[in-house]
Amino acid sequence: MESKTGTWLEKKGLAQMLKGGVIMDVVNAEQAKIAEDAGACAVMALERVPADIRADGGVARMSDPDMILKIMDAVSIPVMAKCRIGHFVEAQILEAIGVDYIDESEVLTPADEEHHILKHNFNVPFVCGCRNIGEALRRIGEGAAMIRTKGEAGTGDVVEAVRHARTVIGAIRQLETMGDEELMTFAKNNGASYELVKEVKTLGRMPVVNFAAGGVATPADAALMMQLGVDGVFVGSGIFKSGDPARRATAIVKAVTHYQDASILADVSKNLGEAMVGRNTSQMPEGEKMAGRGW
Amino acid sequence: MKIGVLALQGDFAEHISMLKKLGVETTEVRLPEHLKNLDGLIIPGGESTTIGKLAVAYNLLEPLKQFGKDHAIWGTCAGAIFLSKDVSRDQPLLGLMDIKVQRNAFGRQVDSFETDLEIDELMKATGTEHAYHAVFIRAPLIESVSGNAKVLSALEDGRIVAAQEGHLLATSFHPELTSDTRFHEYFISLAS
């Protein structure tokens, strides 16, 4: 029997292995080791965490492949890396060096203001951000095997992640109660494929794994997202921009596992030191927000 | 009959829905007290380092070792790693099965694959004749079995991908990601 690689089941399946876990942004091998030791289920390798990308301004691009390879050498857990929206050559490069997942991410400066990457063309799986169900299903239609809410990266303000998770999960609940004859109009109004809309109604959930991202900074934030119904959590700047990264990382991992146990959450929230300095998204000019990138 | 699924991290929900499909009562296990009144336990796929560290942090290692002495346990992928005695690196293990495991033995995600396996024991136990379609994701390999552990399935080139030691079962692949319930049925027969 011949073996098959790069199948939809394989791509979707790796994300299923990450469920109930925390994926942490790291900028070097040393941070990657700290993340792995804390119990991260994967790391996102990038040159600058979103908080620094915000502070620095300018164009944010794919990271140096050499830096990503060093992180891949340092840890045994899966390594993800980001490419710009629509920049399929950055994606080809990331696939060539063997990253386990590509994040086509709004945190970097978009390379195409109309189109995303046709992700079905790749053997490596992709994760993409979304603010609502239409955006999620468009990305899945293009081949994303995992979805995450966008939130507002690099702010430490969880409000946008909550808004996006509630919007997506609310739409799934709405779909579950709809009559079959209403689905085509739902597909039209949300700019999503009819087939995927039908699938969501049948499954009562996203057809792929759905993580939260963008503003998670504390164990309580992480457990909040889990209780809202996501499958796991990305933490970007929240860990390595805090006072005691190793301690905070371990606490967030525990909070995602025991998200329904308030006494454990209380215990892991103790003495974590300074959280990252947050930025209130409601006072942020629209032009500075990253979540609006993506179409 | 009640089967627990270790729910520290990974695809435990997929195992639970498989067990429900077979009409088996099931529960999520996150703390030692959740092992009470169980007839068997599944350790799901996920990241073995994450699962191991959480098991240590919540004092599950000893209770799981005790449970495995007289109850059925099945580990899929990360779960198989966790059940083993040796993975050639320093990480928390239950050491219940006499198997040596190599992590990420097939390479990175782009090397993950699906293939058909002829598993005599499984076909005999379930009275079926068709091959088993197995999904490997950043999969470990069972390098060797010793003591009372025996090989349950191997690839065409002889590399071991499933092993059994009495009521303990380890698979490199993920039956919970397919619609084929035969492996779960086989495990339930070990647990009863």
Side-chain angles (χ1 to χ4, degrees), chain B residues 106 140-145 150-155 157-163 172:
Chain B
F106 298 92
L141 193 64
I142 301 170
E143 270 182 11
S144 58
V145 300
K150 56 176 191 174
V151 176
L152 199 61
S153 177
L155 298 173
D157 59 12
R159 291 186 290 177
I160 306 163
V161 291
S172 304

Side-chain angles (χ1 to χ4, degrees), chain B residues 41 43 64 67-68 71-75 83 94 96 167-169 187:
Chain B
L41 179 79
I43 306 174
L64 286 171
F67 184 85
H71 294 87
I73 303 185
W74 172 25
L83 277 175
L94 292 178
L96 281 166
H167 51 269
L168 304 171
L169 191 61
F187 176 67

Side-chain angles (χ1 to χ4, degrees), chain B residues 63-164:
Chain B
L64 286 171
K65 284 180 192 171
Q66 290 304 320
F67 184 85
K69 281 187 179 158
D70 46 12
H71 294 87
I73 303 185
W74 172 25
T76 59
C77 194
I81 296 168
F82 197 39
L83 277 175
S84 74
K85 277 217 159 75
D86 183 0
V87 295
S88 309
R89 73 194 294 281
D90 185 28
Q91 69 178 74
L93 299 174
L94 292 178
L96 281 166
M97 285 183 78
D98 259 326
I99 56 175
K100 187 172 185 216
V101 172
Q102 188 193 348
R103 288 185 58 198
N104 302 331
F106 298 92
R108 304 200 70 94
Q109 173 60 14
V110 287
D111 307 302
S112 291
F113 63 99
E114 299 177 37
T115 196
D116 281 352
L117 299 171
E118 300 279 341
I119 308 175
D120 295 338
E121 202 76 28
L122 184 74
M123 295 194 280
K124 220 188 313 167
T126 54
T128 54
E129 287 174 350
H130 54 287
Y132 188 83
H133 188 71
V135 182
F136 294 80
I137 297 175
R138 283 173 47 93
L141 193 64
I142 301 170
E143 270 182 11
S144 58
V145 300
S146 54
N148 292 323
K150 56 176 191 174
V151 176
L152 199 61
S153 177
L155 298 173
E156 278 172 5
D157 59 12
R159 291 186 290 177
I160 306 163
V161 291
Q164 185 175 344

Side-chain angles (χ1 to χ4, degrees), chain B residues 14-85:
Chain B
E14 284 75 354
H15 275 293
I16 286 172
S17 86
M18 244 358 200
L19 292 168
K20 283 188 178 156
K21 208 154 112 182
L22 294 168
V24 176
E25 203 189 333
T26 173
T27 186
E28 295 177 2
V29 175
R30 288 186 175 84
L31 295 170
E33 55 263 36
H34 301 159
L35 288 168
K36 265 187 220 145
N37 305 320
L38 294 182
D39 300 294
L41 179 79
I42 297 178
I43 306 174
E47 279 307 312
S48 63
T49 52
T50 306
I51 294 171
K53 280 167 211 294
L54 285 161
V56 171
Y58 290 95
N59 302 314
L60 269 156
L61 277 192
E62 266 317 302
L64 286 171
K65 284 180 192 171
Q66 290 304 320
F67 184 85
K69 281 187 179 158
D70 46 12
H71 294 87
I73 303 185
W74 172 25
T76 59
C77 194
I81 296 168
F82 197 39
L83 277 175
S84 74
K85 277 217 159 75

Side-chain angles (χ1 to χ4, degrees), chain A residues 139-206:
Chain A
R139 297 295 84 79
I140 296 168
E142 293 155 357
M146 178 178 183
I147 287 293
R148 55 172 177 76
T149 56
K150 284 181 174 170
E152 195 51 50
T155 62
D157 187 350
V158 81
V159 67
E160 293 300 311
V162 169
R163 188 193 320 280
H164 300 156
R166 279 204 183 275
T167 305
V168 169
I169 291 160
I172 295 171
R173 287 204 194 102
Q174 197 191 343
L175 261 178
E176 280 183 290
T177 60
M178 273 187 180
D180 288 343
E181 73 282 5
E182 297 175 87
L183 300 184
M184 183 57 88
T185 303
F186 184 94
K188 184 189 80 175
N189 291 342
N190 288 277
S193 118
Y194 176 62
E195 293 304 320
L196 286 173
V197 167
K198 275 202 298 190
E199 194 179 345
V200 172
K201 186 190 169 186
T202 312
L203 296 172
R205 59 155 292 140
M206 279 291 188

Side-chain angles (χ1 to χ4, degrees), chain A residues 36-81:
Chain A
E36 183 177 47
D37 288 344
C41 66
V43 290
M44 177 74 70
L46 73 178
E47 272 167 356
R48 292 176 291 171
V49 295
D52 289 334
I53 291 175
R54 273 185 192 289
D56 295 352
V59 175
R61 310 178 180 90
M62 175 188 79
S63 300
D64 181 341
D66 184 61
M67 166 264 169
I68 299 168
L69 284 163
K70 283 191 178 120
I71 289 173
M72 287 162 60
D73 277 345
V75 294
S76 65
I77 56 180
V79 176
M80 300 184 166

